[in-house]
Amino acid sequence: MGSNSDNDNGFAAKPSSSSSSSSSQTLKPLTPHTARSLVDSVDAFLFDCDGVIWKGDKLIERVPEALRTLRSMGKKLFFVTNNSTKSRKQYTKKFSTLGLEVSEEEVFSSSFAAAMFLKLNKFPREKKVYVFGEEGIMEELKLAGFECLGGPEDGKKNITLKSNYHFDHDKNVGAVIVGLDHHINYYKIQYATLCIRENPGCLFIATNRDATGNLTDLQEWPGAGCMVATVCASTEKEPIVVGKPSTFMMDFLQERFQIETSRMCMVGDRLDTDILFGQNAGCKTLLVLSGSFKQHPPKFLCE
């Protein structure tokens, strides 16, 4: 992530007001000169986490130095992650464990975004939320005052298919949230499917549609998009996506901190989520090669 040498650690994606396919974006290499110009032009940096700050539980090289330098220059830092397995409080603890001082107010996870989406859209308090995901979503929903079921507990449940077997589900579930789930099983798929198909007006919310993620330091793993695609197929419905590249989290962040998006820079390792998220919101963007983006662009153009 360093920018004090002429290397291939980062590429600045050309700003665009269009949400067209990220594969057509023109990128230019980050040099000491362009890095300084970028830093001077923004007040806040938004960082993805998996593949940018860490891989699994291992910090990416020179991240602590980069963050300390930006803070010493008076820049605001935010961490915007699509990984919904943890709550903001749990992410703050992970940062601390890795030796990074990050406050809960600086973390914006898709688990938090899902809870805030329901809260801001006045989801009825008497309705329940089924979680096809992990503890991060459950914790954020409870903090927001919503009753939820599912989550890790349903990862322990099995289905035995036999004659005259009827699978029961809670008819009072008004929303299903699907996120990254390390304990995906047939029970969860069926429960989510029945709620969405049979409960009138039930919302289908996806934390994100990332196909893969840097969940460990050595390889990529299936992402939340795999779980979301399963429920899309079984329900024949499309979800409301609250994570990147949707600008829902950006709108929330901007309203809370009153920073113009033109004075922000989104730093990420995925063109289809991180960079597109920044461009859709009108931010400057910086692509790093430490995570999911493996192939060097065949041609680099400076603006």
Side-chain angles (χ1 to χ4, degrees):
M1 282 186 59
S3 60
N4 61 348
S5 63
D6 222 340
N7 54 34
D8 285 336
N9 284 338
F11 294 87
K14 186 178 180 180
S16 169
S17 59
S18 170
S19 59
S20 59
S21 174
S22 57
S23 62
S24 63
Q25 300 299 330
T26 300
L27 302 116
K28 67 180 183 180
L30 189 67
T31 66
H33 174 72
T34 56
R36 185 70 207 195
S37 176
L38 175 64
V39 171
D40 290 343
S41 69
V42 300
D43 299 319
F45 282 85
L46 283 59
F47 291 92
D48 178 41
C49 291
D50 293 319
V52 176
I53 302 297
W54 55 59
K55 286 185 177 181
D57 292 323
K58 185 177 180 180
L59 270 180
I60 290 172
E61 186 180 2
R62 298 178 69 186
V63 162
E65 294 89 339
L67 299 184
R68 280 197 299 269
T69 298
L70 291 173
R71 287 194 190 278
S72 71
M73 299 173 72
K75 306 300 179 182
K76 293 184 181 297
L77 305 184
F78 300 103
F79 301 87
V80 185
T81 176
N82 268 354
N83 191 327
S84 62
T85 59
K86 291 180 174 60
S87 65
R88 295 202 300 166
K89 183 177 181 179
Q90 290 168 329
Y91 270 116
T92 303
K93 184 177 180 180
K94 178 172 182 176
F95 276 109
S96 179
T97 300
L98 293 173
L100 300 176
E101 291 187 15
V102 173
S103 71
E104 191 172 323
E105 286 293 303
E106 294 175 315
V107 178
F108 289 83
S109 62
S110 61
S111 53
F112 174 71
M116 288 304 100
F117 178 85
L118 293 178
K119 186 173 184 178
L120 293 175
N121 285 279
K122 295 179 171 52
F123 181 74
R125 295 288 174 171
E126 67 273 14
K127 290 287 186 179
K128 300 176 185 177
V129 182
Y130 183 73
V131 176
F132 187 155
E134 299 195 21
E135 189 58 39
I137 301 173
M138 304 282 285
E139 184 168 318
E140 292 292 0
L141 286 171
K142 291 172 184 175
L143 288 171
F146 296 112
E147 182 178 356
C148 55
L149 64 157
E153 189 62 31
D154 280 4
K156 306 171 186 176
K157 297 178 181 178
N158 298 310
I159 292 177
T160 301
L161 299 176
K162 55 187 178 182
S163 297
N164 298 318
Y165 174 71
H166 183 269
F167 187 98
D168 292 320
H169 72 284
D170 194 324
K171 304 298 192 298
N172 201 37
V173 169
V176 172
I177 299 176
V178 182
L180 183 60
D181 194 330
H182 299 145
H183 308 288
I184 180 175
N185 60 16
Y186 210 49
Y187 183 95
K188 291 183 180 182
I189 296 170
Q190 176 69 343
Y191 206 109
T193 299
L194 291 177
C195 289
I196 294 169
R197 285 170 49 176
E198 298 185 5
N199 292 6
C202 183
L203 300 174
F204 174 16
I205 299 170
T207 60
N208 68 91
R209 303 187 83 158
D210 291 8
T212 59
N214 294 105
L215 305 182
T216 65
D217 60 325
L218 295 181
Q219 58 190 166
E220 289 186 323
W221 295 79
C226 301
M227 292 87 211
V228 174
T230 299
V231 180
C232 286
S234 63
T235 62
E236 299 184 316
K237 294 182 182 294
E238 289 297 310
I240 300 166
V241 181
V242 296
K244 297 172 291 186
S246 164
T247 57
F248 175 75
M249 281 197 286
M250 178 65 77
D251 295 338
F252 189 87
L253 187 153
Q254 188 180 20
E255 182 176 337
R256 175 168 292 189
F257 293 97
Q258 298 297 308
I259 303 173
E260 291 295 327
T261 55
S262 62
R263 299 288 299 177
M264 296 182 185
C265 178
M266 178 67 210
V267 183
D269 65 323
R270 299 183 68 101
L271 287 171
D272 59 343
T273 54
D274 303 323
I275 302 306
L276 190 56
F277 169 74
Q279 291 175 332
N280 286 344
C283 298
K284 295 176 176 63
T285 54
L286 179 66
L287 175 70
V288 296
L289 304 182
S290 52
S292 295
F293 191 84
K294 302 297 184 186
Q295 182 180 355
H296 288 251
K299 185 177 181 180
F300 305 110
L301 299 175
C302 291
E303 297 176 323

